[in-house]
Amino acid sequence: MSIADALLQILDRKLILPAIQREYVWKPSQIIRLFDSIMRGYPVGNFLSWKVLPETISKFKFYGFMKDYSAFDNRHNPVIDIPTDREVVAILDGQQRLTSLNLGLRGTYAYKNHGGWANKPWSYPERRLHLNLAGEAPENELGLKYHFQFLTKNDIDSSADDETRKWLPVSDVFDAPEPAAMMKIMARYGEGNNERSLDLVGKLWEQVHKTASLHFYEEDDQDIERVLDIFVRVNSGGTVLSYSDLLLSIATAQWEGDARAAVHGLVDSLNQTGNGFNFSRDTILKSGLVLADVGDIGFKVKNFTTANMAKLEDGWDAMSTSLQVAVGLLSDFGLSGGSLTADSVLIPVAYYVHHRKLDHSYRESPKTREDRDALRSWVLRSLIVRGVWGSGLDTLLRDLREVIKAQGNTAFPVAAIERAMSRRGKPLAVTDALVEDILSLEYGKARTFAVLAALFPHVDTRNQFHVDHVFPATQLDRKRLRQQKNADGTPRFSADEINDLLALRDRLPNLELLPGLENIGKSDKTPDRWLAAEFPSEDDRSAFLARNALPPSLPHSVDEFKDFFDQRRANLTARIYDKLRTQTSASTETAAKAPLVDLDEELAEGDDSD
């Protein structure tokens, strides 16, 4: 169809937007490029539409296209009521382009003046798209040929005497369905006899009213799951959309309030906890389904029914509080966005908090310390073992929910939870392979903090702790090692020896957790000197070494580093078996006999970062 036909259908609400569409995001420069392409006769792309039958219309909420966009106070598409006695066409792909055509040919775009106050309405004057009839576009990096520009009324008035600027509102072209009407407009602007102006306007009029440049592929299947699948596929080339983006839009359509604002606000609040987290909308929406006790917690449209969304909305305040307490606990455990290797661990923690109706006092009370320690140990161990929060996540979360619901009324049911995990092939048992994996962890890796926090529970992770090199990394620098000489001037270390030392420098046996200020004060002192200065008493020194699984004597020089590393490695091996031992008697044999996760479910769930 032609551009004018499409805009008339938008005006008549025959072309609409389904709730799964995201909001309008194009900038004025993108609209100008689109109109430049139209003038040149370039294809502006295909569009995907969905024929919505009357019986389907009533199940969802739909939006109209934006006509007057304001970056200050009008960013949202208007909700519209569609009569259920006729079919409509919903746009699945092409919203940004069609909205841009609608704004350019029928409406306005208000963006902030350069240097204007962001919170003042007068900084966002209304602008209409104009075409300069006096000349081509000034030299530009975008390769634009035609001079389109969004202008305010003041802009037009100030250029009235400029012969290089003859501005025609593009909306006049849309308002002239016949050539004769367009000629009258040209005469009114005094350009009726100007061949160049007539050529420009005629070209734009032809592209808007006559050329069938918009090509639509129409999907008529009424299965929303299929429609969503198509929608995700066709949008993967632009801003990638996740199912949670789409389902959040559906939730917005189902809620009485503003689901989008509620979820975004909670995500922002949670991510500002402690040293900061990076929770996504996916995690928070999934948490909502779990905490609301929705049976199937998969990201499927059938789970975002009006009934389930009502349940989610009714309990949102309580769920939000539970999530805030849960994130506070993760922060208390020393975790943050940089060290939390799997966001999904938040969900069972939040469900336990929600099930028991715990508040923030749980995080501090001496009466709950033992329970907090058990929860902390389980959280950290689940983050250490690879693959726990990966595939089969929905099945695991449902199992953990059932265990907490049945056995978590008075305390966190660690043993029962670990038995359920083992049955799902996700045991927390310490194996030789896991030990080797842990010992090879390096400085700066996300799992490293979780391992050290689990191995050394005496560390109060509510305070600021740093992962620190026991033997200073600065003294194991390649350049510094190359510069060291023997008495006769020969290199103290061969190239192979230097490589060996560097390979060990950042590994777990040379790492410890120190309070932030102590770590700063330690700087590049050798371990033995720092220990003597920090703990003058021999008893205090011995206690520190024992708490941190360090050998009886610490190295004074690089020559002693490798012996120290081997001793610390042996100490950590023993501590790993002791501190990370599973709370259940389930063996790896049980895990081997666990039922296989359904392949369709695994593919649908994806894989959490682990």
Side-chain angles (χ1 to χ4, degrees):
M1 66 179 72
S2 69
I3 292 172
D5 287 340
L7 299 192
L8 288 172
Q9 290 196 32
I10 287 174
L11 181 62
D12 197 32
R13 295 185 176 181
K14 291 179 180 177
L15 272 182
I16 59 175
L17 293 169
I20 56 177
Q21 280 281 16
R22 64 188 186 278
E23 295 181 328
Y24 183 67
V25 296
W26 271 29
K27 303 299 182 187
S29 59
Q30 292 172 284
I31 301 176
I32 288 170
R33 290 185 69 178
L34 176 65
F35 274 85
D36 185 77
S37 296
I38 289 169
M39 284 286 282
R40 296 189 188 197
Y42 293 168
V44 295
N46 296 323
F47 298 81
L48 179 65
S49 60
W50 173 34
K51 181 193 289 184
V52 190
L53 299 180
E55 60 267 24
T56 305
I57 290 175
S58 60
K59 298 177 182 177
F60 300 100
K61 187 174 288 187
F62 294 93
Y63 294 89
F65 283 84
M66 297 205 72
K67 175 177 169 288
D68 298 295
Y69 177 86
S70 171
F72 177 68
D73 61 1
N74 192 33
R75 297 170 177 262
H76 308 295
N77 294 80
V79 177
I80 55 176
D81 292 322
I82 306 296
T84 56
D85 59 350
R86 69 175 188 180
E87 62 185 42
V88 293
V89 176
I91 298 300
L92 296 180
D93 181 49
Q95 177 211 179
Q96 303 295 324
R97 284 167 289 158
L98 283 175
T99 301
S100 297
L101 292 171
N102 203 38
L103 294 177
L105 286 163
R106 293 183 56 230
T108 59
Y109 195 124
Y111 57 88
K112 186 170 74 67
N113 284 330
H114 181 69
W117 291 81
N119 61 345
K120 301 298 183 183
W122 55 79
S123 295
Y124 301 81
E126 186 179 86
R127 293 173 166 90
R128 293 184 181 275
L129 186 64
H130 289 73
L131 172 63
N132 184 11
L133 304 180
E136 293 187 347
E139 186 176 344
N140 59 89
E141 295 180 355
L142 298 177
L144 300 173
K145 179 179 180 181
Y146 297 95
H147 194 183
F148 287 96
Q149 196 164 332
F150 277 98
L151 301 171
T152 66
K153 187 177 184 304
N154 287 338
D155 293 330
I156 299 297
D157 293 342
S158 64
S159 63
D161 298 328
D162 187 348
E163 291 299 320
T164 66
R165 300 286 190 271
K166 297 292 182 182
W167 296 112
L168 173 76
V170 173
S171 58
D172 284 358
V173 176
F174 175 76
D175 292 335
E178 300 298 331
M182 193 67 248
M183 291 302 296
K184 290 180 181 178
I185 292 173
M186 294 298 292
R188 190 170 74 237
Y189 283 104
E191 297 291 320
N193 296 318
N194 187 319
E195 289 189 14
R196 175 181 175 79
S197 296
L198 290 172
D199 181 61
L200 280 173
V201 175
K203 187 174 294 187
L204 181 57
W205 186 90
E206 188 79 19
Q207 291 295 333
V208 170
H209 288 281
K210 292 299 180 186
T211 305
S213 57
L214 306 186
H215 302 278
F216 290 81
Y217 170 81
E218 187 172 80
E219 172 63 48
D220 58 9
D221 197 317
Q222 301 303 294
D223 181 359
I224 187 65
E225 297 287 354
R226 172 173 165 76
V227 172
L228 276 185
D229 180 61
I230 295 171
F231 186 77
V232 171
R233 287 170 184 259
V234 299
N235 279 279
S236 61
T239 302
V240 177
L241 295 169
S242 68
Y243 251 56
S244 67
D245 289 312
L246 310 181
L247 296 174
L248 182 54
S249 296
I250 293 176
T252 300
Q254 304 282 20
W255 280 27
E256 293 296 325
D258 190 342
R260 194 183 302 273
V263 174
H264 287 183
L266 179 58
V267 171
D268 291 342
S269 173
L270 297 178
N271 285 339
Q272 292 167 7
T273 304
N275 289 324
F277 289 88
N278 302 310
F279 294 113
S280 65
R281 292 190 303 273
D282 296 55
T283 301
I284 303 311
L285 271 181
K286 180 77 71 176
S287 300
L289 293 176
V290 174
L291 269 61
D293 280 319
V294 172
D296 187 345
I297 59 174
F299 278 167
K300 304 169 186 173
V301 175
K302 68 179 183 180
N303 297 331
F304 282 69
T305 61
T306 303
N308 283 343
M309 290 306 98
K311 189 185 298 186
L312 202 61
E313 185 172 16
D314 290 344
W316 186 254
D317 289 343
M319 294 177 196
S320 298
T321 299
S322 297
L323 282 163
Q324 288 165 346
V325 173
V327 175
L329 284 167
L330 296 184
S331 178
D332 294 343
F333 300 161
L335 298 167
S336 63
S339 57
L340 185 62
T341 56
D343 290 351
S344 299
V345 74
L346 167 69
I347 300 175
V349 175
Y351 189 81
Y352 175 63
V353 169
H354 194 65
H355 178 68
R356 290 193 58 192
K357 296 181 173 58
L358 302 173
D359 57 24
H360 285 286
S361 64
Y362 172 81
R363 298 168 53 193
E364 301 286 343
S365 173
K367 295 179 180 179
T368 58
R369 179 174 181 175
E370 185 176 341
D371 193 52
R372 289 197 310 273
D373 288 345
L375 180 60
R376 176 185 186 271
S377 172
W378 175 79
V379 166
L380 295 175
R381 285 183 293 116
S382 76
L383 295 174
I384 292 169
V385 178
R386 292 185 186 274
V388 168
W389 302 107
S391 60
L393 177 62
D394 284 356
T395 305
L396 177 64
L397 290 174
R398 285 197 300 268
D399 288 354
L400 299 186
R401 179 172 66 181
E402 292 308 308
V403 171
I404 293 171
K405 194 185 303 184
Q407 303 184 44
N409 295 328
T410 58
F412 188 68
V414 180
I417 278 180
E418 292 189 17
R419 281 194 294 271
M421 295 173 73
S422 291
R423 287 194 296 270
R424 284 293 168 192
K426 298 175 181 290
L428 299 186
V430 179
T431 62
D432 292 343
L434 177 62
V435 172
E436 288 301 317
D437 179 43
I438 290 173
L439 291 171
S440 67
L441 288 173
E442 295 184 342
Y443 181 84
K445 300 298 182 183
R447 290 168 69 222
T448 302
F449 180 89
V451 166
L452 291 171
L455 294 180
F456 303 106
H458 69 276
V459 173
D460 187 352
T461 46
R462 289 174 298 178
N463 300 321
Q464 184 71 36
F465 271 79
H466 294 175
V467 176
D468 170 63
H469 289 85
V470 180
F471 194 88
T474 54
Q475 296 200 31
L476 292 171
D477 175 72
R478 184 182 295 277
K479 182 178 179 181
R480 188 166 181 172
L481 292 172
R482 283 176 176 170
Q483 291 173 344
Q484 295 193 34
K485 306 292 183 181
N486 293 315
D488 60 0
T490 58
R492 188 171 176 186
F493 302 106
S494 69
D496 288 343
E497 287 173 328
I498 290 175
N499 288 335
D500 289 343
L501 290 169
L502 294 178
L504 302 179
R505 178 189 64 191
D506 294 332
R507 295 288 178 86
L508 192 74
N510 191 38
L511 303 177
E512 63 184 344
L513 287 178
L514 277 186
L517 292 177
E518 285 187 26
N519 183 43
I520 294 170
K522 180 173 178 285
S523 188
D524 62 349
K525 296 176 185 175
T526 57
D528 61 329
R529 286 178 50 225
W530 175 83
L531 184 66
E534 195 71 21
F535 300 100
S537 162
E538 185 175 342
D539 288 344
D540 290 342
R541 288 196 295 274
S542 297
F544 175 83
L545 294 172
R547 281 197 307 271
N548 292 281
L550 291 163
S553 61
L554 297 182
H556 177 71
S557 67
V558 176
D559 298 302
E560 300 171 0
F561 173 69
K562 288 189 74 172
D563 286 341
F564 155 76
F565 186 94
D566 292 339
Q567 292 178 54
R568 180 83 187 301
R569 191 180 193 281
N571 290 354
L572 286 181
T573 300
R575 182 160 289 223
I576 290 169
Y577 280 108
D578 176 46
K579 296 296 183 183
L580 302 188
R581 66 182 183 275
T582 182
Q583 297 290 312
T584 175
S585 59
S587 65
T588 53
E589 181 182 353
T590 306
K593 295 179 180 178
L596 294 175
V597 176
D598 181 81
L599 180 59
D600 290 336
E601 179 179 326
E602 184 170 339
L603 289 173
E605 291 167 4
D607 199 86
D608 205 345
S609 174
D610 210 49

